[in-house]
Amino acid sequence: MSKSSMGRRSFLKKSALMGGTAGAASLIAAPAVLAQAPKVIKMQTSWPSSNIWQEMAQDYADRVNAMSGGRLQVDVLPAGAVVAAFQVLDAVNDGLIDAAHSVPVYWYGKNKAASLFGTGPVFGGSAETMMNWFYEGGGKALYDELTQDIMGLDVDGYMGFPMYAQPFGWFKEPVTTVAELEGFKYRTVGLAADLMAKLGMSVAQLPGGEIVPAMERGVIDAFEFNNPSSDRDFGAQDVAKNYLLSSYHQASESFEFLFNGLMMEDMEPDLKAILIHGVEAASTANKAKAARRYSADLKYLEEEAGVTVTRTSTEILDAQLAAWDELIPELEADPFMKKCLDSQRAWVEQVSYYELMNAPDYALAFERYFPGKLSM
């Protein structure tokens, strides 16, 4: 038997024989360890408290709190609680908040490349395709290069919940042609603003909570945000009655979970893993919640709120792709953006080829069992 084994065995034997005050002390000390206060992580979102996305951020917090056995407590705050909706990146970097729940396009004004991590050109891949690129196609490394090396930020970010493609949006009158879009004052964000400008629209970039008031004041006369539930929560149906689904302006977006870099470095390894992999758990939960709520709220908008729901015309969709064709060479003048776009194209060509070739025509099956519903 080795000396180390003998030493360990002797220690265990002595420990077993110890009683009285030593044993009592250990019993008294144990509850004190268990009763340690959890590490509180202050996470602010970019969403109003009434928005479904605030619920989705809370879904993340609930899972992290549960998986950590009470050692972590994520406190979720709405937009404006500490900083404005578009300022969470700086707040995380500066340590004003520990984490944020947002989207990269909200810091597009700092670096246009932010839009490539959710609202960039659509090469034929869905939001799920592009979130897969982030984790399996080199996207995370490029994201870290942008945020940490190019921008010099002390942040660590992860993508979660591949969103359904965003509707073209809300209009006061039906819109079917590109000519009808000329001069529209339209709300969107990120590279979608550049895209819509090429279609003749005048674009305002506003946080979600400012959209309906701007519509009421005439600051804008058409807008998009993201989905039927958020749009209903904002009261979109009270200021417009024509809702156009389907668009290429933001068809591949995911949430961004941002963490302060210093906090993550100091975090115990198992708790750090819970924070990171909690994004994956929340992503699944968010997708399921969105499927139920978005579809139910679309039904409400159409059947009870008097909203006319249609698909965006093929003419406008073709024009959006043509506008991307114009915009992409301008973006590629920046070497980093070209590197990102080259990576995304290669990923989409490989992965979406398989996805599209393999996918059955779901619309054909839907029409068979629910005839007439898709004839919009």
Side-chain angles (χ1 to χ4, degrees):
M1 186 181 296
S2 68
K3 289 184 179 180
S4 61
S5 298
M6 290 176 66
R8 180 174 178 273
R9 180 165 292 184
S10 297
F11 172 79
L12 292 173
K13 184 176 180 181
K14 288 178 182 179
S15 298
L17 293 173
M18 288 176 68
T21 56
S26 66
L27 289 173
I28 292 169
V33 173
L34 295 175
Q36 285 182 344
K39 179 175 177 57
V40 177
I41 294 172
K42 186 165 57 179
M43 170 183 272
Q44 189 197 295
T45 76
S46 293
W47 330 121
S49 57
S50 60
N51 193 281
I52 187 175
W53 285 1
Q54 192 71 8
E55 288 183 39
M56 292 179 171
Q58 188 62 50
D59 289 341
Y60 170 77
D62 292 343
R63 281 153 180 76
V64 167
N65 297 350
M67 288 188 290
S68 70
R71 293 163 63 205
L72 289 175
Q73 178 183 319
V74 180
D75 285 352
V76 181
L77 306 170
V82 180
V83 296
F86 285 10
Q87 295 173 349
V88 295
L89 175 69
D90 285 337
V92 172
N93 176 64
D94 296 339
L96 291 176
I97 53 178
D98 303 307
H101 186 271
S102 190
V103 285
V105 71
Y106 276 11
W107 46 274
Y108 156 92
K110 291 183 167 297
N111 194 304
K112 276 196 173 186
S115 251
L116 300 184
F117 296 90
T119 55
V122 179
F123 299 117
S126 65
E128 192 144 357
T129 308
M130 299 317 297
M131 196 178 82
N132 293 344
W133 166 77
F134 183 85
Y135 287 106
E136 292 289 335
K140 169 62 172 165
L142 289 166
Y143 175 92
D144 289 346
E145 181 180 348
L146 173 62
T147 55
Q148 297 171 14
D149 300 338
I150 296 174
M151 298 175 68
L153 299 172
D154 188 20
V155 299
D156 188 18
Y158 299 86
M159 299 292 117
F161 174 39
M163 300 178 187
Y164 292 95
Q166 297 187 22
F168 189 36
W170 294 83
F171 297 80
K172 293 180 179 178
E173 302 295 335
V175 174
T176 58
T177 68
V178 176
E180 291 172 317
L181 301 176
E182 186 70 34
F184 266 79
K185 293 177 290 185
Y186 178 85
R187 182 274 176 190
T188 191
V189 290
L191 285 175
D194 297 13
L195 185 78
M196 297 309 180
K198 290 188 177 295
L199 298 183
M201 303 172 89
S202 174
V203 179
Q205 301 204 40
L206 302 170
E210 298 179 19
I211 295 172
V212 168
M215 190 81 162
E216 291 172 332
R217 297 195 311 269
V219 175
I220 56 174
D221 47 34
F223 65 91
E224 62 81 36
F225 179 70
N226 185 277
N227 65 81
S229 296
S230 294
D231 293 351
R232 177 186 175 180
D233 290 342
F234 289 145
Q237 66 276 12
D238 298 328
V239 293
K241 292 295 184 184
N242 292 275
Y243 194 25
L244 276 64
L245 302 184
S246 177
S247 180
Y248 288 121
H249 75 286
Q250 285 178 269
S252 57
E253 191 166 24
S254 297
F255 283 141
E256 176 183 44
F257 293 74
L258 276 167
F259 302 97
N260 176 270
L262 183 61
M263 179 195 75
M264 293 295 270
E265 285 179 17
D266 291 342
M267 191 71 61
E268 294 177 49
D270 62 328
L271 296 183
K272 180 178 178 180
I274 288 171
L275 286 176
I276 293 171
H277 299 306
V279 174
E280 299 168 2
S283 186
T284 299
N286 292 168
K287 189 69 181 286
K289 176 172 285 188
R292 176 175 61 85
R293 292 276 293 279
Y294 291 6
S295 59
D297 284 325
L298 181 65
K299 181 180 175 70
Y300 165 84
L301 292 170
E302 190 170 18
E303 297 182 2
E304 298 184 45
V307 174
T308 300
V309 178
T310 58
R311 281 180 60 82
T312 303
S313 70
T314 300
E315 178 183 327
I316 292 174
L317 292 173
D318 284 343
Q320 288 180 349
L321 289 176
W324 276 124
D325 289 345
E326 288 184 38
L327 191 54
I328 288 169
E330 297 172 17
L331 302 177
E332 289 182 328
D334 178 277
F336 176 77
M337 294 185 81
K338 185 176 189 312
K339 181 163 64 169
C340 284
L341 289 165
D342 285 345
S343 176
Q344 290 177 342
R345 270 188 294 254
W347 178 262
V348 171
E349 183 179 14
Q350 173 185 324
V351 174
S352 291
Y353 172 77
Y354 164 69
E355 290 175 344
L356 294 170
M357 284 292 286
N358 187 60
D361 187 341
Y362 291 108
L364 182 66
F366 186 91
E367 182 64 26
R368 180 181 184 89
Y369 294 102
F370 310 102
K373 287 190 71 79
L374 293 178
S375 57
M376 296 180 178

